[in-house]
Amino acid sequence: MSTSLLWVFAGCALIGMGSAAVGSFAFLRKRSLVGDAVAHSLLPGVVLAFLLFQQKELWILFVGALLSGALSMWSIEFISKNSKLSSDAAIAISLSIFFSLGIVLLTYAQQSGLPNQSGLQHFLFGKAAAMLPEDVFLFAGINALIFGCIILLYPQLKLFTFDPAFAKSIGLPSRWINFCLSFLTVLAIASGIQAVGVVLMAAFIFTPPAAARFWTSRLSHMIVLSVVIGLLSAVGGAGISYSASGMPTGPWIIICMSLLAFFTFAFAPKRGFYSRWRRGWRHSRKMKEENVLKTLYHLREREGREEFGHSSLMALRGFDARELEQSIDSLMRKGLIGKKGSAKLHLSAQGLEEARRIVRLHRLWELYLNTRLSLPQDHVHADAEAIEHIITPEVEAALIRDLNYPLSDPHASEIPGIADMKKDE
Amino acid sequence: MIALEAHNLTVRYNKQPVLWNVDFSIPAGSLAGIIGPNGSGKTTLLKAAMGILGSDSGYVRFFGKELDAVREKVSYVPQRQSVDWDFPASVMDVVLMGRYRAGKLLGRLSKTDREIAAEALEQVGLYPLRKQHISELSGGQQQRTFIARSLAQQADIFLMDEPFAGIDAASEESIISLLQSLRSSGKTVILVHHDLHTAIEFFDHVVLLNTRLVAAGPKTETLSVENLNATYGGQLTVLNKIAELVRKQEYPLREKNTKD
Ligand SMILES: Nc1ncnc2c1ncn2[C@@H]1O[C@H](COP(=O)(O)OP(=O)(O)OP(=O)(O)O)[C@@H](O)[C@H]1O
Ligand SMILES: [Mg+2]
């Protein structure tokens, strides 16, 4: 690997890390769109700096970018504070004005015939290959500032981000904290002008935190994870764009970032689609099994016998034949039902207990709807069919107490188990 | 002693006055209600008192002093809906926020701070949920989290914005008894309330507000039909209920009229 490639990787990594870190706060403050407007607004500053100094050294252009980014951020706040426009509108106005001004200036500069104007268009979509050691030092300095502030001011930033009114009420210098966060955001975004380009830079601010949020509910973990995602995608994207020469860097980095984000949305624990789908599936399996137990209980109650074939189950409740088979297998494995002969099913002692619990919840809920919410008798069954599967023991106890140990439901069927509870008291 | 005094307070949004020459005081050791319909400027009043919003004229003093001089004695509880409860934090994290002080900007929290926060959680009955993520809380639990944060501040005067909005009767009851115990330990509790149906029997001092001050003073003198009429305008259903209450001059205790 050549040393110049190492500089490119180091530079991209620093840009990805710093922006993902400040981005976490912008994301939580719902200010991601402001980041997008600021990124687009860097362009006129970059081109103006070039026209003024006729040089393409990064730090000169960087200062230009910083100034126009800050101006755009300030103009958004000014518009939304001093007009009746919503902040969305203020963001859109600022973005379109600054970006069109930037494009006009860019076109002008390209037609100006200035000797070193070629390559200016790379500021739109980024070209990491041009990165020099001194650029990387600049990014390292920016990162030191960003991480230094976050570590030093962490409790204040957290408090301010969560509840700005409370922060102000205890006397935190909110204006100063707000300024500090805004300044760091502009700084991080401006650091991407060369490698990522103004069009896509905002994704660095909001994609990594959004993905990281799926994995954790702790702010500190979220920031660290977000930084890791920013780092991996910046290095990955830079690598791809470098090996397929001529490709702009920005889009490749964003593609890597989005792939990581999609992976996260799909597979993150708890919040991810897969785990939500799995929970849904588990619940529906549990529901089907509980319905089988309940139906066996109803049959017992109705006919006074212990053993029933599949057909009696099917007759009482419209099971899907294959699902019924699966539920029965699973219940037998758990020892909740037993099978005698070829197809005679009966509830085991443990299964009977469980069935009584489900029927009890069903009838308690029916009674509750009927007496407390005055729903008519014939309207309560459908709701109870769903609720019986989710009532927890605590809610059950509260229901029983609230209804004062009822012995029968609105349809005058016995609520199993209540009579014994009364005796225990 | 006067715990809070608003003098000639005027606050405007875009030149439109939302509070207009509001002038009242609340004695220390009372449980006071700031009452008025939606949009009457109650939230604005608290925010102006806490210096979160600037005022156009007038001032608010606490125990006769500027806010900055007594800030650590004043605790503010914003409206529950004003924050995003999906923020990545645990219940304990939020309550610990009550231990930060502007004075010790860079200081980390000590063991004592954690004990105070734990005790505050105990008081609102949320200690078992301290590690829970705040997005998993019910509305009433969110409110109690906020109140625990406020208790952790160990202030002498509490300003609470709608602590009963959107919570169930059980949570309301436990919050009320907590506030009463604060009062009996000599603290001043001032809370914003927009509803005349509930909780009104617990105030001993009321401020009726509708952009202008309608009336302020001890509850029994202030809650007259004319005052309520001026505050609530055409809302007759509310009015009739309250008029009846006022006529009887006797506010039923919650323990007697059981809910449901
Ligand atoms: N940021 C703002 N900009 C402009 N007007 C505002 C702003 N905040 C509040 N207002 C207006 O000020 C008035 C008072 O608002 P405030 O929030 O103080 O009322 P409130 O009494 O707390 O009402 P609620 O019971 O709904 O909480 C309202 O008419 C509202 O429209
Ligand atoms: Mg309000």
Side-chain angles (χ1 to χ4, degrees):
Chain A
M1 211 190 308
S2 71
T3 35
S4 74
L5 183 58
L6 276 180
W7 287 117
V8 169
F9 278 134
C12 288
L14 287 168
I15 295 169
M17 286 161 65
S19 43
V22 269
S24 302
F25 291 98
F27 171 77
L28 291 172
R29 294 173 71 205
K30 315 237 169 348
R31 303 285 296 265
S32 303
L33 282 177
V34 177
D36 198 23
V38 169
H40 281 78
S41 309
L42 303 177
L43 191 59
V46 172
V47 185
L48 269 180
F50 169 76
L51 288 172
L52 276 178
F53 297 96
Q54 312 213 343
Q55 282 184 35
K56 277 201 312 208
E57 266 187 63
L58 184 62
W59 72 269
I60 295 179
L61 305 185
F62 181 77
V63 172
L66 214 53
L67 290 178
S68 70
L71 188 65
S72 119
M73 184 151 280
W74 176 81
S75 75
I76 292 172
E77 285 195 7
F78 183 83
I79 296 175
S80 43
K81 207 178 265 174
N82 292 294
S83 74
K84 290 208 156 77
L85 294 174
S86 68
S87 64
D88 287 5
I91 290 168
I93 290 172
S94 171
L95 185 150
S96 42
I97 292 181
F98 276 83
F99 191 58
S100 24
L101 183 66
I103 293 290
V104 168
L105 287 170
L106 181 65
T107 319
Y108 171 77
Q110 284 173 329
Q111 292 167 353
S112 66
L114 285 171
N116 53 354
Q117 61 77 26
S118 77
L120 271 184
Q121 78 280 2
H122 289 315
F123 288 104
L124 286 175
F125 291 109
K127 187 166 190 282
M131 206 168 308
L132 300 172
E134 53 264 38
D135 302 343
V136 177
F137 295 141
L138 176 68
F139 302 148
I142 292 172
N143 267 38
L145 195 61
I146 289 174
F147 285 100
C149 278
I150 291 180
I151 291 168
L152 212 59
L153 296 177
Y154 182 74
Q156 283 77 21
L157 293 177
K158 179 176 180 177
L159 182 47
F160 176 75
T161 306
F162 173 61
D163 192 346
F166 181 77
K168 208 161 177 193
S169 84
I170 63 169
L172 282 192
S174 341
R175 285 176 71 137
W176 195 85
I177 294 177
N178 187 30
F179 171 80
C180 176
L181 275 179
S182 305
F183 178 70
L184 292 179
T185 309
V186 177
L187 210 56
I189 294 175
S191 70
I193 42 172
Q194 177 200 33
V196 189
V198 301
V199 175
L200 294 170
M201 188 54 205
F204 270 75
I205 295 287
F206 52 74
T207 311
R213 181 66 187 88
F214 265 71
W215 290 91
T216 169
S217 290
R218 279 182 68 177
L219 180 59
S220 49
H221 293 187
M222 177 186 149
I223 296 173
V224 171
L225 203 59
S226 165
V227 167
V228 170
I229 293 173
L231 172 82
L232 290 181
S233 33
V235 171
I240 295 174
S241 108
Y242 196 86
S243 53
S245 66
M247 292 269 203
T249 328
W252 270 116
I253 296 182
I254 308 301
I255 286 176
C256 289
M257 208 174 256
S258 311
L259 286 178
L260 276 178
F262 276 123
F263 175 79
T264 296
F265 297 151
F267 296 109
K270 272 197 191 169
R271 292 182 162 227
F273 298 131
Y274 174 72
S275 103
R276 268 192 279 175
W277 172 82
R278 219 180 126 77
R279 274 204 303 278
W281 182 78
R282 283 226 180 104
H283 181 70
S284 106
R285 191 180 64 179
K286 168 170 171 269
M287 225 159 67
K288 283 173 198 148
E289 292 179 10
E290 291 186 350
N291 284 338
V292 172
L293 292 178
K294 194 173 67 175
T295 310
L296 277 171
Y297 183 85
H298 284 154
L299 285 168
R300 239 175 84 113
E301 199 176 43
R302 194 168 297 184
E303 306 191 8
R305 294 186 285 128
E306 296 275 333
E307 298 178 353
F308 303 93
H310 286 201
S311 52
S312 341
L313 279 163
M314 299 282 261
L316 191 59
R317 191 185 173 98
F319 288 104
D320 176 278
R322 233 190 52 167
E323 285 178 359
L324 178 62
E325 220 35 76
Q326 286 170 349
S327 302
I328 289 173
D329 284 350
S330 159
L331 286 168
M332 285 189 17
R333 257 178 281 128
K334 292 180 191 161
L336 294 177
I337 56 178
K339 201 184 224 177
K340 280 202 194 117
S342 59
K344 287 284 184 195
L345 301 167
H346 65 93
L347 291 164
S348 70
Q350 202 191 344
L352 179 62
E353 202 45 49
E354 180 65 7
R356 278 161 67 89
R357 186 184 67 86
I358 299 155
V359 172
R360 180 165 68 239
L361 293 180
H362 182 99
R363 293 181 179 166
L364 278 172
W365 186 244
E366 284 190 338
L367 186 63
Y368 186 82
L369 290 178
N370 186 233
T371 55
R372 292 292 191 254
L373 303 181
S374 311
L375 285 181
Q377 259 189 46
D378 50 341
H379 282 53
V380 293
H381 177 76
D383 195 52
E385 278 289 302
I387 301 297
E388 66 192 8
H389 303 293
I390 59 176
I391 291 179
T392 59
E394 298 85 65
V395 177
E396 179 188 355
L399 268 177
I400 294 174
R401 250 180 288 120
D402 191 85
L403 294 167
N404 197 19
Y405 298 90
L407 295 175
S408 59
D409 75 354
H411 315 290
S413 314
E414 186 208 341
I415 301 183
I418 304 273
D420 310 336
M421 284 179 206
K422 259 194 142 158
K423 263 180 256 149
D424 295 346
E425 290 238 323
Chain B
M1 183 146 90
I2 301 295
L4 180 146
E5 180 198 5
H7 181 79
N8 232 345
L9 190 69
T10 300
V11 179
R12 298 167 201 267
Y13 283 119
N14 304 319
K15 309 220 168 83
Q16 163 104 6
V18 175
L19 287 177
W20 205 343
N21 285 344
V22 172
D23 211 273
F24 65 90
S25 55
I26 291 171
S30 51
L31 208 174
I34 298 178
I35 299 168
N38 292 127
S40 55
K42 307 177 298 291
T43 297
T44 308
L45 175 62
L46 291 199
K47 285 190 172 169
M50 293 311 296
I52 296 162
L53 283 175
S55 50
D56 293 80
S57 70
Y59 58 79
V60 174
R61 295 226 166 112
F62 296 91
F63 304 110
K65 297 197 181 99
E66 297 278 328
L67 176 62
D68 276 326
V70 286
R71 204 179 277 277
E72 309 213 338
K73 299 268 165 255
V74 187
S75 162
Y76 168 63
V77 182
Q79 228 159 320
R80 172 166 62 87
Q81 293 85 350
S82 68
V83 305
D84 174 14
W85 288 91
D86 207 27
F87 188 86
S90 68
V91 172
M92 190 61 164
D93 285 338
V94 173
V95 177
L96 279 173
M97 290 179 185
R99 296 306 303 159
Y100 287 112
R101 286 279 173 267
K104 51 172 203 180
L105 265 179
L106 301 179
R108 299 280 145 162
L109 294 173
S110 67
K111 195 160 160 262
T112 327
D113 288 324
R114 297 186 172 276
E115 283 164 9
I116 291 169
E119 196 184 321
L121 275 170
E122 200 79 73
Q123 272 178 283
V124 299
L126 284 186
Y127 188 73
L129 298 186
R130 67 194 177 284
K131 290 192 182 138
Q132 195 118 346
H133 179 244
I134 54 172
S135 70
E136 291 158 7
L137 298 179
S138 70
Q141 291 167 339
Q142 290 174 355
Q143 191 63 57
R144 282 188 278 156
T145 306
F146 259 15
I147 290 180
R149 179 177 72 178
S150 171
L151 294 174
Q153 291 183 276
Q154 300 188 317
D156 288 337
I157 170 166
F158 295 84
L159 304 183
M160 304 190 176
D161 201 345
E162 306 254 9
F164 303 130
I167 65 173
D168 64 17
S171 289
E172 183 176 314
E173 215 154 324
S174 75
I175 292 175
I176 287 173
S177 65
L178 196 76
L179 299 182
Q180 285 176 319
S181 73
L182 281 176
R183 171 179 56 185
S184 43
S185 63
K187 315 271 184 186
T188 310
V189 182
I190 300 172
L191 48 100
V192 158
H193 199 56
H194 74 262
D195 186 357
L196 280 169
H197 298 275
T198 55
I200 195 153
E201 56 261 43
F202 300 99
F203 298 134
D204 36 41
H205 203 92
V206 293
V207 174
L208 292 176
L209 193 71
N210 200 343
T211 307
R212 284 172 175 280
L213 181 76
V214 177
K219 180 178 64 185
T220 40
E221 294 165 24
T222 316
L223 279 187
S224 68
V225 177
E226 301 85 81
N227 282 343
L228 289 168
N229 212 343
T231 314
Y232 278 88
Q235 297 186 16
L236 284 173
T237 42
V238 180
L239 203 66
N240 290 340
K241 284 205 164 150
I242 300 304
E244 199 182 284
L245 274 180
V246 173
R247 228 186 351 265
K248 286 191 208 146
Q249 280 295 330
E250 167 201 306
Y251 301 94
L253 287 173
R254 186 156 300 277
E255 282 75 31
K256 280 183 200 153
N257 64 344
T258 46
K259 268 151 247 89
D260 302 321

